[in-house]
Amino acid sequence: MADAPTSPYLVLARKYRPRDFTTLVGQDAMVQTLGNAFAQNRIHHAFILTGVRGVGKTTTARILARAFNYEDKSGPHPTLDLSVEGEHCRAIIEGRHVDVIEMDAASNTGINDIREIIDSVKYAPSSAPYKVYVIDEVHMLSTAAFNGLLKTLEEPPPYVKFIFATTEIRKVPVTILSRCMRFDLRRITPEIMTAYLESILGQEGISFEPEALAMIVRAGEGSARDNLSLLDQAIAHGNGTVTATTVKAMLGLGDRARIIDLFEELMGGQIGQAIETMRALYDMGADPQTLVADLADFTHLVTRIKVVPSAADDVSLTPDERRRGAELAGKLPMRALTRAWQILFKGYDEVARASNGLQAAEMALIRLAYAADLPSPDDLIARLANQPAPAPSLPPMAPIGRGPSNGGGGASAMRVESPRPVMTEAVAAQPTTLQAARPAEAPVVQPAMATVGSYKELIALAGAKRDMLLKLALEGQMRPVSFEQGKIEIALVEGANPASVNTLSARLQEWTGQRWLVTVSTKPIDGPTLRQEKEERAALQRAQAHDDPLVQAILNTFPGARVVNVKVKDELDATPPDLPPPPPEEDDE
């Protein structure tokens, strides 16, 4: 005698799919609103359900279809009390009722599919009190399909109900939303989800560890279907039991306690131990990207506990996460946590793109360890406040020059520049301290009008006013012919901009407070401009300095050395000793 065929296995997500509102978990607000509407006989003709995957949108639509078409011995009457199956309930639950039409908008997106609905709406239901249209993923309908549905959706026959479900509510036109009663289905909280999974495991007679359920609930992200699918997989992976070890291996998670150890080592700057810990977790089978994600997850947890201490009471957390997370939240400053989050967030993308994920993960952890060990700006300021004043900087090296006493041709000198000092973090933070100790500034006094007594003073005034275009024009495009108080005569070089004359007149009036007459000479004026004279003089000074025997000895002693700048001795004596040397000109070597 042949064995009786066994029925195929029904996954937990289908076996324990809610069939009435008493078994629908995590959506109490929607159930209360619908209960009041049914009790007051204020039942809308169109509903739209939105939420993330697996929170019960399609399930709610089928339960609503049962509630609309509930009929018992007393006759048809819509109700949310579905504890006793009505005449149409079994057919609706099994998806074979002729008056409950389910359509997937992902595969029926066009106007022709909607036209079939519009044509069938004209006919009354065959046996049930209402004809119910359930359209899943309604946001995938085309624009023409949405427009074709508007009129029917606004004024349907009294025996027609529409129920829409979508995960992308923003893609649904507002004209559709305005015609529907909207319900936003929430993610199921960890407390409710944990209790729900425990009840299912109790009905199945399967043993479990609370830590394993916490991992599944965290991975399910508030979706009932995702949690039940993971639970199904965990039962099969654990050979009929749900343990933390098997769930870790199934999800590719590292040991949560080792993740916390790794986090502590990184935040303590113990990079050697952190790399060894990560390598050990990797050898145990943990994925590098998952390890970085776990570190970011724990960083977020510690930050949450620091801001909201009651977050440590979350039932989805392991005992180590509750206890050690609270301890770390009390020790680590907020800036260190936010900096760690930014580094891990960026490191997660780097690991995903890298050809060798382990190497990219290790580099991200090294960056985090060194960044976590850096002092904060507040610490630097506090350290500077407790340290003695810095020693004065060394005076600049005495210029090596030649004068009439040592056989030189002219009074010139060569400035030898020393390397620029490297600014440390303490020096960079010093201006903040000095600025904090700076006394109150004196009231601003309006400067007096400038006076100009010569053409060179005019060029110096343009430089002081930071009008560099006019300064360059005075030096390179004009030659002075005559200069009197209130009157200037100039000659323009070939190719000069004539508009600079008007600019000069306007600037003089603005700077001196009086009108100036600026005229252009019509006579040809030969001779170099001031810029040309300056360039010729600098070239002569460089040549004289370069030919100096002492300079030649220095250049021969230090191969590759160059004369970068030459100044007349009188100019050096006039330079304040506390000013840095001027930068070398770009065309000099």
Side-chain angles (χ1 to χ4, degrees), residues 51 63 164 228 261 324 345 386 557 567:
I63 297 175
F164 302 138
L228 291 176
D261 293 339
R324 299 175 68 181
F345 187 79
N386 296 329
T557 305
K567 283 198 176 232

Side-chain angles (χ1 to χ4, degrees), residues 347-368:
Y348 182 85
D349 292 336
E350 293 176 353
V351 175
R353 296 194 304 266
S355 57
N356 190 320
L358 179 61
Q359 292 179 357
E362 288 181 348
M363 294 303 296
L365 298 193
I366 291 172
R367 186 163 64 244
L368 173 59

Side-chain angles (χ1 to χ4, degrees), residues 142-218:
S142 64
T143 303
F146 275 125
N147 293 336
L149 190 61
L150 288 178
K151 186 62 177 177
T152 304
L153 185 62
E154 184 173 9
E155 298 178 358
Y159 49 80
V160 172
K161 301 291 184 183
F162 288 98
I163 305 176
F164 302 138
T166 178
T167 55
E168 300 286 346
I169 191 65
R170 295 183 179 180
K171 295 182 179 180
V172 180
V174 67
T175 51
I176 297 292
L177 296 177
S178 64
R179 290 167 167 83
C180 302
M181 179 178 286
R182 172 176 170 176
F183 290 102
D184 291 82
L185 277 67
R186 303 176 179 178
R187 293 180 184 268
I188 304 175
T189 61
E191 296 83 1
I192 296 177
M193 183 59 68
T194 301
Y196 182 56
L197 297 183
E198 289 178 354
S199 66
I200 291 177
L201 289 173
Q203 297 178 53
E204 293 288 323
I206 296 175
S207 61
F208 64 92
E209 294 180 359
E211 186 178 354
L213 281 190
M215 296 178 186
I216 293 175
V217 169
R218 185 185 297 109

Side-chain angles (χ1 to χ4, degrees), residues 452-475:
V452 181
S454 66
Y455 193 79
K456 290 186 177 181
E457 291 183 5
L458 175 58
I459 295 176
L461 178 61
K465 295 294 186 180
R466 298 187 179 277
D467 194 337
M468 304 312 297
L469 293 178
L470 180 59
K471 183 175 182 294
L472 293 175
L474 290 171
E475 291 179 344

Side-chain angles (χ1 to χ4, degrees), residues 154-417:
E154 184 173 9
E155 298 178 358
Y159 49 80
V160 172
K161 301 291 184 183
F162 288 98
I163 305 176
F164 302 138
T166 178
T167 55
E168 300 286 346
I169 191 65
R170 295 183 179 180
K171 295 182 179 180
V172 180
V174 67
T175 51
I176 297 292
L177 296 177
S178 64
R179 290 167 167 83
C180 302
M181 179 178 286
R182 172 176 170 176
F183 290 102
D184 291 82
L185 277 67
R186 303 176 179 178
R187 293 180 184 268
I188 304 175
T189 61
E191 296 83 1
I192 296 177
M193 183 59 68
T194 301
Y196 182 56
L197 297 183
E198 289 178 354
S199 66
I200 291 177
L201 289 173
Q203 297 178 53
E204 293 288 323
I206 296 175
S207 61
F208 64 92
E209 294 180 359
E211 186 178 354
L213 281 190
M215 296 178 186
I216 293 175
V217 169
R218 185 185 297 109
E221 297 181 344
S223 168
R225 184 173 61 239
D226 287 6
N227 277 273
L228 291 176
S229 298
L230 290 173
L231 184 60
D232 235 334
Q233 184 179 356
I235 294 172
H237 193 80
N239 195 20
T241 59
V242 181
T243 63
T245 304
T246 57
V247 172
K248 289 175 187 175
M250 179 189 75
L251 298 178
L253 299 175
D255 189 348
R256 302 301 293 183
R258 298 293 298 276
I259 291 294
I260 301 175
D261 293 339
L262 179 59
F263 180 82
E264 290 180 339
E265 292 165 357
L266 291 171
M267 301 307 291
Q270 303 172 6
I271 184 58
Q273 298 180 15
I275 293 298
E276 292 179 359
T277 302
M278 183 172 186
R279 179 68 67 166
L281 291 172
Y282 178 77
D283 294 338
M284 291 170 57
D287 180 65
Q289 190 175 11
T290 304
L291 290 175
V292 176
D294 288 345
L295 284 171
D297 184 42
F298 187 72
T299 303
H300 172 259
L301 172 63
V302 175
T303 308
R304 283 196 67 214
I305 295 176
K306 190 173 187 65
V307 177
V308 185
S310 60
D313 300 330
D314 192 342
V315 296
S316 66
L317 300 179
T318 63
D320 279 337
E321 288 175 328
R322 293 194 191 98
R323 178 179 56 83
R324 299 175 68 181
E327 293 176 356
L328 289 169
K331 295 178 181 178
L332 296 175
M334 182 61 70
R335 54 180 169 271
L337 293 172
T338 54
R339 183 167 50 195
W341 169 262
Q342 292 172 353
I343 294 175
L344 291 171
F345 187 79
K346 184 178 180 181
Y348 182 85
D349 292 336
E350 293 176 353
V351 175
R353 296 194 304 266
S355 57
N356 190 320
L358 179 61
Q359 292 179 357
E362 288 181 348
M363 294 303 296
L365 298 193
I366 291 172
R367 186 163 64 244
L368 173 59
Y370 277 95
D373 197 31
L374 290 177
S376 65
D378 295 341
D379 296 335
L380 287 175
I381 294 174
R383 293 178 187 178
L384 287 173
N386 296 329
Q387 289 194 8
S393 58
L394 295 176
M397 183 181 295
I400 302 174
R402 62 176 184 172
S405 59
N406 56 12
S412 62
M414 179 184 71
R415 182 184 296 275
V416 180
E417 297 182 353

Side-chain angles (χ1 to χ4, degrees), residues 457-574:
E457 291 183 5
L458 175 58
I459 295 176
L461 178 61
K465 295 294 186 180
R466 298 187 179 277
D467 194 337
M468 304 312 297
L469 293 178
L470 180 59
K471 183 175 182 294
L472 293 175
L474 290 171
E475 291 179 344
Q477 300 181 13
M478 304 178 187
R479 298 187 183 95
V481 177
S482 63
F483 191 97
E484 302 176 6
Q485 189 65 30
K487 181 180 179 180
I488 303 177
E489 183 179 3
I490 59 172
L492 297 176
V493 301
E494 184 178 356
N497 185 9
S500 58
V501 178
N502 295 333
T503 303
L504 175 59
S505 179
R507 294 293 186 273
L508 282 170
Q509 182 176 355
E510 177 184 348
W511 295 338
T512 63
Q514 61 179 352
R515 287 183 172 274
W516 284 71
L517 178 62
V518 181
T519 59
V520 179
S521 176
T522 58
K523 299 178 182 179
I525 304 296
D526 297 331
T529 62
L530 293 181
R531 175 170 289 276
Q532 292 172 346
E533 292 178 357
K534 181 179 179 181
E535 293 174 352
E536 293 174 358
R537 185 168 58 254
L540 179 60
Q541 291 172 355
R542 283 196 298 270
Q544 292 175 349
H546 190 275
D547 295 337
D548 186 273
L550 184 56
V551 174
Q552 285 292 324
I554 294 175
L555 296 178
N556 294 332
T557 305
F558 300 98
R562 297 180 178 87
V563 179
V564 296
N565 195 18
V566 178
K567 283 198 176 232
V568 180
K569 185 176 184 302
D570 296 338
E571 296 178 1
L572 288 174
D573 295 339

